[in-house]
Amino acid sequence: MTPDLTNQHWLETYKSLITLSIEGFKFSALANGGAAVALLAYLGNVAGRGVATPDMRCPMAAFLAGLVACGFALLFAYLTQLKLLNEIGRGEKPTVSHGWVLWAAILLFACSLAAFGVGSWQAVLRFR
């Protein structure tokens, strides 16, 4: 491949990774937030009928923790991009100084997805 074609391919791949990241953050926030809202609606419906409500504190806590983890993952992803942009703006070759920030974002995003899974499983176990 010619250097021009290689650079173009690299740039398009980078853009697609950014797009995938954005969609991942949207999914995580929507899944955890939607689950929390759905759980509140369910509990309101059950309580409105005078029936004893199941204890859903653990699933709700997991969904909220998932939302917080997603928010922090987004913050760390932003900081990673900002560090890269600053390096490019100064004409420097990108370094690994942003590596720990990137891994923090990845870990927090994984925690967000795991929290959704835990919260969902806990909710399933508590339904009667």
Side-chain angles (χ1 to χ4, degrees):
M1 276 212 249
T2 65
D4 214 23
L5 188 57
T6 300
N7 286 339
Q8 184 180 5
H9 179 66
W10 185 88
L11 182 60
E12 289 303 317
T13 301
Y14 181 73
K15 287 179 182 178
S16 71
L17 286 173
I18 296 296
T19 300
L20 285 169
S21 297
I22 291 167
E23 295 304 318
F25 288 127
K26 285 180 184 178
F27 168 77
S28 180
L30 182 63
N32 281 295
V37 169
L39 194 56
L40 288 172
Y42 166 75
L43 290 173
N45 187 21
V46 170
R49 289 185 285 155
V51 180
T53 59
D55 183 10
M56 294 290 192
R57 288 178 292 180
C58 184
M60 182 61 77
F63 296 140
L64 293 178
L67 274 173
V68 170
C70 181
F72 277 110
L74 187 57
L75 173 66
F76 278 86
Y78 170 79
L79 292 175
T80 301
Q81 289 300 107
L82 184 61
K83 281 181 173 255
L84 284 169
L85 182 65
N86 286 335
E87 290 172 356
I88 292 168
R90 289 189 300 261
E92 300 172 1
K93 183 176 181 181
T95 64
V96 293
S97 67
H98 62 275
W100 73 270
V101 183
L102 174 62
W103 282 107
I106 293 169
L107 179 64
L108 285 164
F109 180 73
C111 287
S112 179
L113 294 178
F116 175 71
V118 168
S120 298
W121 184 250
Q122 289 295 318
V124 165
L125 294 177
R126 285 170 170 72
F127 283 133
R128 297 179 186 160

